Amino acid sequence: MRAADRDAAGLGPVRAFGFLAPALVLIGVFLVFPALWTLYIGITDYQLTGPAAVQPQVVGAENFRTALADPLFGNSVRLTALYALCSAVIGQNVLGFALAWLLRPVRPGLRRAVEGLVLLAWVLPGPVVAYLWFAVLSRDGGTLGLLLDRPATAWLVEYPMASLVVFNIWRGTAFSLLLYTSALAAVPPSQVETARLLGANGWQTVRDAVFPHIRGHVLTNTLLISLWTANDFTPFLLTAGGPNHESEVLPVLIYRQALESGQLGYASAISLLLLVGNLLVALVYLRLLRRRA
Amino acid sequence: MTPRRVVRRIAASALIAVVLAFFAVPMLWLAGAPFDARPGLGLRWPDWTLANVRATLAHPYALTSLANSVLLCLVACAVTTSSAALAAYALSRVRLPGRDALLYLLLLLSSVVTGTAAMVPIFVLMLQLGLIDSRLGTALVLAGGLLPAAIFILKDFVDAVPRSYEESARVFGASAGQVLGHVVLPVARPGIAMVLVWSFVNAWGNFLLPFLLLRDVGRQPAAVLLRTLQDEGGSVNLAVIPVFSLLYSIPVVVLYVLVDKRYGFRFHGGIKS
Amino acid sequence: MAAIDIAGVSTTYPNGVRAVDGLDLRVADGELFALLGPSGCGKTTLLRTIAGLEPAAEGSVTIGSRDVTRLPPGARGVAMVFQDYALFPHMTVAENVGYPLRVRRAPREVQRSTAERVASGLSLSELLDRRPGQLSGGQQQRAALARALAVEADVLLLDEPLSNLDARLRLEARTFLKRLQHDLGLTTVFVTHDQAEALALADRIAVMEAGRVRQLGTPREVFQRPSDTFVANFIGSTPMNLLDAVVRDGHVECAGARLARVPHLASGTGVIVGVRPEYLRVDEHGITGRVSIVENLGVTSLVTLECAGGALVSLTVPEQDEPALGRSMAVTAAPGRLLLYAAEDGRLLDSR
């Protein structure tokens, strides 16, 4: 009680509320209000152009029924789940942890080089990264084609989802690496050493001495990276959903419905379903975290 | 060393080498293609030239879009960092009614409500406010999206500042303003720097929101222009794209190097909860 | 210079806990005063209430002739050194020490010259341009003291001043602090949970428990005549013997021995006999027991006897007189050192 919650600077509740106000206004206008508004727009036939743009009509659950019956929506949900599962939950998580674990005994120079590259892939702007991967995956002289001696393969067309998954692992592993590096640094060395003294091998050590300490980190990491991946718009830059909807994840579907087809109401209904999905994942995670505690 | 350990060491080294190649190879394009006489979407040893650089600088929107990016980022960063710092301080130090619920809500908002999920209402909101093509409006939308996470990052830093610093200053007679200016702000500076850089990198690379909200090419930032170059006049503008990509990447790379030197890329506690 | 008057002060936390509970206390001008007690007894809260960092829910605090109860911390004329010293990490020692003047918007040169003057008195002159992170624990403590002295306040408050130092340094700093306070004659209140520290440093001690003062007195009074069994238990490096006893025929009977005459107590009254191990000596009769443990304390040894009925009695003996284990011994208390406490509420009844 004493250490926390002490108004140490003598701010007082009125000034404290004043401090909070700008942030709350911005979050309220640009985050909370839009999130709630999807609810309303989602039950209208609001369109970008035409008569329904001026005078949208409430159509009730019509948009949701359409979406649930729409094979393109089902396709997007499936692709989004696949994308999040393969590239984030498995790909980034495993590679991030493996790197964090393997880099511990490596000499500092090499370690910094690996970490530096992984982090650079993370901080480069999305549109630039898209071009980097065009260069890897392109059909004329792309790096992957040269390496595999299949120079004329259009990887983004022939294997769009696999390309996106590999791309996203490249792009996002940095976060898992950072998080697991700091988590591993907090594992008491004596416990790892005790496991070693008792004759545990590498895998047993990780499972019995390390994992119990970082379970919370694994949960947090998995939640964040899977939400980010499911809401990632970069696939639009690489494949724009094509060919023939084969890589049309939900964010791309929403964009194309809203701004290419102008179906704002329908796109909003899909957005709302995505928001609800996000919320469910987050709530499940918070329950898991609480059960652990 | 036992033979098994040798094998394991070799396997680990090989894995690290593969990972190194996996992350390095795509970046090579950014080093070669800008200075290649025949730039393409592919990897090859360049015929060195600076012609592409000249072509890029001559492009009517290249420099404008970079200036737009700077403007967007500066406004978004300044708004995010200043309002997040104030909010984080108040949340860390004063027990306001409903504070725990607010923190829980912010935690959910920061991960659940994303730009992609809310793109339609944000677009409609800005359309109805007449703020389509407003760079300031777009910067505020960016700030709104960055704020919840920024507040959390900063609250972690402020929580770690001992209260005795502020109390000590108060016993010496410092006013609330003096306490903040003399003590809290300087002590929390690493956190503020971190949020500044974090919000800059995020705003600088954000494609979706400016793509959605800025339709006039003269007001679009580099992120959107780079995409436009891909099908400008029906074909890929290969002279400009590589150099422009490089120019556009430099600020984040410089910031990244600075932060890495000064503070190191580490998480500072708190990330677990 | 000023005395501190605390009249009926209560301090309540938002969760309803009364950390300080209707407390009266007067600290004389120039006195070095200790607030001593186990953790959670309210001693730090009382100190913070004097400083103005916690609002008093009831009662009043007067410093000198001014009622400061409603004044903010900066207007009370107090200086405080925190347990973690609270030296600002981004300022040099000179800037830290000069900070109280910066708050009052004194010119930069005045800040610097004051810092130099105060620092030289505490042998910090060489360290003025260092940052707190570059100082040892003892140097940090002196820098924090210097900053508090630069305030030129009427009252100096110290929160656990020695607890962040390692054991050897602590003794040195204790002597230093006592000399400094003696030279300045500044009214000083410090908080400690370490009874040895309080005994060694303070002119007077208030032993606190549950937000109230259990005993107020000089170190000698508190050590020799603890006013109840709580204080008796708390004070002393070796714990005081507290033995259940009964009054029979005008005498106290304890562990099978007849000890003192108590003609005014009725037969059958339950009492607790308190006697410090240092005040027990080997005798021909008295409480008898077998030596069960011997602990070396350096100059003396602490001997534990197992007596009739399983009671354990300890006494200190000179190192050369260390008895063999299992030997039978009888001990009696030095005259006037035997304390009798009431069994029902633990208050001091008498001494023999």
Side-chain angles (χ1 to χ4, degrees):
Chain A
M1 156 76 221
R2 271 225 318 259
D5 300 336
R6 222 150 63 193
D7 184 5
L11 212 56
V14 175
R15 251 184 297 184
F17 189 75
F19 276 29
L20 262 179
L24 289 187
V25 167
L26 280 170
I27 291 172
V29 173
F30 295 118
L31 223 49
V32 178
F33 175 67
L36 296 178
W37 209 13
T38 44
L39 261 176
Y40 172 71
I41 303 178
I43 55 165
T44 65
D45 63 350
Y46 197 18
Q47 299 205 350
L48 196 52
T49 50
V54 191
Q55 206 94 75
Q57 300 291 312
V58 172
V59 293
E62 183 60 37
N63 287 327
F64 296 97
R65 273 196 293 275
T66 316
L68 294 177
D70 185 351
L72 280 183
F73 175 72
N75 173 55
S76 280
V77 171
R78 197 178 51 78
L79 290 177
T80 308
L82 187 76
Y83 184 48
L85 185 73
C86 294
S87 74
V89 176
I90 297 172
Q92 294 179 6
N93 231 347
V94 170
L95 185 60
F97 181 81
L99 277 179
W101 180 254
L102 289 176
L103 286 175
R104 287 175 322 136
V106 168
R107 61 176 193 283
L110 180 62
R111 181 179 169 160
R112 283 180 62 89
V114 179
E115 284 182 348
L117 273 175
V118 177
L119 281 164
L120 195 59
W122 193 40
V123 297
L124 282 176
V128 173
V129 171
Y131 281 111
L132 297 184
W133 278 82
F134 284 143
V136 171
L137 301 171
S138 99
R139 91 172 78 206
D140 43 33
T143 316
L144 187 64
L146 294 178
L147 284 176
L148 298 182
D149 203 21
R150 285 173 62 182
T153 314
W155 302 93
L156 280 169
V157 178
E158 286 183 39
Y159 309 98
M161 275 318 283
S163 300
L164 286 183
V165 166
V166 173
F167 157 79
N168 194 44
I169 293 174
W170 185 87
R171 173 81 166 143
T173 296
F175 182 80
S176 306
L177 172 62
L178 281 181
L179 197 141
Y180 287 133
T181 304
S182 78
L184 286 178
V187 175
S190 62
Q191 301 218 355
V192 177
E193 279 155 17
T194 306
R196 284 265 154 78
L197 282 175
L198 294 173
N201 63 30
W203 162 242
Q204 287 168 329
T205 308
V206 170
R207 188 193 56 197
D208 300 329
V210 176
F211 189 71
H213 282 280
I214 63 167
R215 195 174 293 152
H217 293 88
V218 174
L219 271 175
T220 306
N221 188 50
T222 308
L223 168 84
L224 290 177
I225 61 179
S226 48
L227 284 182
W228 289 336
T229 302
N231 291 271
D232 181 18
F233 194 65
T234 329
F236 178 83
L237 292 170
L238 277 171
T239 63
N244 191 26
H245 308 290
E246 272 179 52
S247 64
E248 196 171 61
V249 289
L250 277 171
V252 177
L253 177 72
I254 294 170
Y255 177 80
R256 296 182 75 174
Q257 289 295 337
L259 290 147
E260 290 179 7
S261 312
Q263 306 282 345
L264 293 177
Y266 183 53
S268 219
I270 301 175
S271 300
L272 188 69
L273 294 174
L274 177 59
L275 275 175
V276 170
N278 289 346
L279 189 66
L280 286 179
V281 172
L283 290 177
V284 166
Y285 154 81
L286 285 172
R287 284 214 40 178
L288 283 177
L289 200 67
R290 198 161 299 162
R291 188 186 303 165
R292 190 186 59 98
Chain B
M1 268 198 290
T2 61
R4 262 188 72 176
R5 290 199 63 169
V6 175
V7 171
R8 218 178 300 154
R9 282 285 291 269
I10 294 174
S13 304
L15 189 67
I16 290 176
V18 169
V19 169
L20 212 58
F22 173 58
F23 281 93
V25 166
M27 293 179 197
L28 294 178
W29 181 80
L30 209 50
F35 310 106
D36 192 344
R38 289 187 297 115
L41 286 175
L43 198 61
R44 60 182 215 116
W45 187 252
D47 300 328
W48 300 100
T49 172
L50 286 177
N52 301 329
V53 178
R54 281 191 292 275
T56 306
L57 296 181
H59 188 277
Y61 293 112
L63 294 180
T64 329
S65 73
L66 284 171
N68 286 335
S69 280
V70 171
L71 182 77
L72 273 180
C73 277
L74 287 185
V75 175
C77 274
V79 171
T80 305
T81 310
S82 54
S83 46
L86 290 174
Y89 186 76
L91 286 172
S92 170
R93 291 300 200 256
V94 185
R95 183 156 199 99
L96 288 165
R99 184 186 66 164
D100 292 342
L102 183 64
L103 283 172
Y104 190 80
L105 190 70
L106 282 178
L107 184 69
L108 277 184
L109 278 178
S110 65
S111 50
V112 170
V113 182
T114 56
T116 20
M119 73 169 106
V120 179
I122 286 176
F123 176 76
V124 177
L125 175 71
M126 298 305 269
L127 189 69
Q128 300 206 336
L129 290 175
L131 288 176
I132 296 292
D133 274 339
S134 155
R135 281 165 292 192
L136 189 67
T138 308
L140 288 182
V141 177
L142 280 168
L146 295 172
L147 262 174
I151 293 175
F152 268 96
I153 299 176
L154 271 172
K155 184 172 173 290
D156 264 359
F157 273 92
V158 180
D159 282 346
V161 175
R163 272 109 179 123
S164 60
Y165 289 175
E166 293 139 86
E167 292 178 339
S168 186
R170 271 175 76 205
V171 175
F172 295 133
S175 65
Q178 284 176 318
V179 173
L180 291 181
H182 295 167
V183 181
V184 179
L185 220 54
V187 173
R189 203 164 46 195
I192 290 172
M194 174 141 164
V195 167
L196 263 178
V197 170
W198 174 81
S199 55
F200 187 91
V201 170
N202 267 289
W204 188 258
N206 193 307
F207 167 75
L208 175 64
L209 286 173
F211 182 57
L212 214 57
L213 302 177
L214 298 172
R215 300 265 136 185
D216 172 8
V217 67
R219 295 176 195 223
Q220 285 171 345
V224 180
L225 183 74
L226 193 51
R227 166 75 188 179
T228 322
L229 289 172
Q230 198 182 322
D231 31 41
E232 199 177 52
S235 68
V236 184
N237 190 340
L238 280 173
V240 174
I241 286 172
V243 179
F244 190 68
S245 296
L246 191 61
L247 283 177
Y248 174 41
S249 303
I250 286 171
V252 285
V253 174
V254 168
L255 267 182
Y256 156 77
V257 170
L258 280 181
V259 171
D260 195 36
K261 267 230 162 83
R262 182 102 193 242
Y263 304 109
F265 270 97
R266 290 282 172 273
F267 282 125
H268 301 261
I271 193 76
K272 207 161 110 184
S273 53
Chain C
M1 303 301 114
I4 305 171
D5 252 312
I6 294 160
V9 163
S10 295
T11 308
T12 317
Y13 281 125
N15 57 9
V17 174
R18 283 169 87 85
V20 175
D21 193 2
L23 191 138
D24 297 294
L25 200 63
R26 183 180 164 82
V27 179
D29 184 13
E31 196 173 22
L32 179 51
F33 192 93
L35 298 173
L36 171 67
S39 64
C41 72
K43 58 191 188 299
T44 298
T45 309
L46 178 59
L47 192 80
R48 293 170 55 84
T49 309
I50 299 173
L53 291 168
E54 306 286 348
E58 295 158 23
S60 69
V61 179
T62 311
I63 296 176
S65 52
R66 280 199 309 158
D67 182 347
V68 298
T69 317
R70 302 275 159 253
L71 292 182
R76 296 188 171 205
V78 299
M80 181 163 170
V81 176
F82 287 77
Q83 186 172 6
D84 60 1
Y85 310 138
L87 290 167
F88 306 136
H90 57 288
M91 297 183 191
T92 63
V93 171
E95 286 165 344
N96 264 295
V97 176
Y99 183 71
L101 291 106
R102 181 173 167 201
V103 168
R104 297 177 210 158
R105 303 203 161 77
R108 213 165 264 278
E109 312 80 68
V110 178
Q111 293 176 25
R112 176 77 194 189
S113 62
T114 307
E116 278 168 4
R117 178 171 50 78
V118 178
S120 76
L122 293 165
S123 346
L124 287 165
S125 297
E126 309 297 307
L127 307 172
L128 278 173
D129 295 315
R130 299 237 191 125
R131 305 233 170 204
Q134 301 165 300
L135 302 182
S136 71
Q139 291 167 338
Q140 288 185 14
Q141 195 214 24
R142 276 185 284 137
L145 271 171
R147 185 174 62 176
L149 295 179
V151 179
E152 303 195 326
D154 304 323
V155 167
L156 178 62
L157 306 175
L158 309 170
D159 188 5
E160 298 273 5
L162 303 175
S163 67
N164 269 359
L165 302 174
D166 51 46
R168 182 166 282 282
L169 207 54
R170 203 174 292 175
L171 291 183
E172 247 171 65
R174 198 168 78 185
T175 314
F176 173 82
L177 203 61
K178 189 154 187 169
R179 178 175 306 136
L180 184 75
Q181 197 274 339
H182 186 81
D183 292 348
L184 296 172
L186 189 61
T187 311
T188 304
V189 180
F190 73 99
V191 156
T192 181
H193 66 275
D194 180 348
Q195 51 85 29
E197 199 173 296
L199 292 174
L201 265 174
D203 298 329
R204 280 198 305 151
I205 299 173
V207 184
M208 291 182 63
E209 198 230 0
R212 295 176 190 207
V213 173
R214 280 298 187 107
Q215 185 171 7
L216 183 66
T218 64
R220 179 154 300 153
E221 288 164 1
V222 172
F223 185 78
Q224 292 183 348
R225 285 180 64 90
S227 63
D228 57 31
T229 47
F230 171 81
V231 180
N233 234 328
F234 193 72
I235 304 279
S237 305
T238 50
M240 184 188 274
N241 294 301
L242 291 169
L243 307 165
D244 290 330
V246 178
V247 176
R248 241 186 272 281
D249 309 329
H251 284 83
V252 175
E253 274 189 18
C254 171
R258 273 201 156 194
L259 295 178
R261 239 173 74 76
V262 277
H264 55 286
L265 290 179
S267 275
T269 312
V271 293
I272 294 169
V273 168
V275 57
R276 293 205 178 277
E278 294 85 351
Y279 297 149
L280 277 175
R281 49 191 193 188
V282 183
D283 209 335
E284 275 138 34
H285 48 85
I287 301 175
T288 311
R290 297 164 66 83
V291 175
S292 64
I293 295 171
V294 178
E295 293 160 69
N296 189 320
L297 301 181
V299 180
T300 57
S301 292
L302 184 67
V303 175
T304 304
L305 302 178
E306 202 174 320
C307 305
L312 295 175
V313 176
S314 32
L315 75 154
T316 56
V317 298
E319 51 173 338
Q320 67 271 20
D321 297 342
E322 206 178 277
L325 281 179
R327 210 191 102 181
S328 181
M329 287 171 81
V331 292
T332 51
R337 301 302 195 189
L338 191 78
L339 306 166
L340 294 178
Y341 295 97
E344 71 266 23
D345 60 1
R347 105 202 103 86
L348 182 65
L349 297 170
D350 205 351
S351 64
R352 279 286 180 271

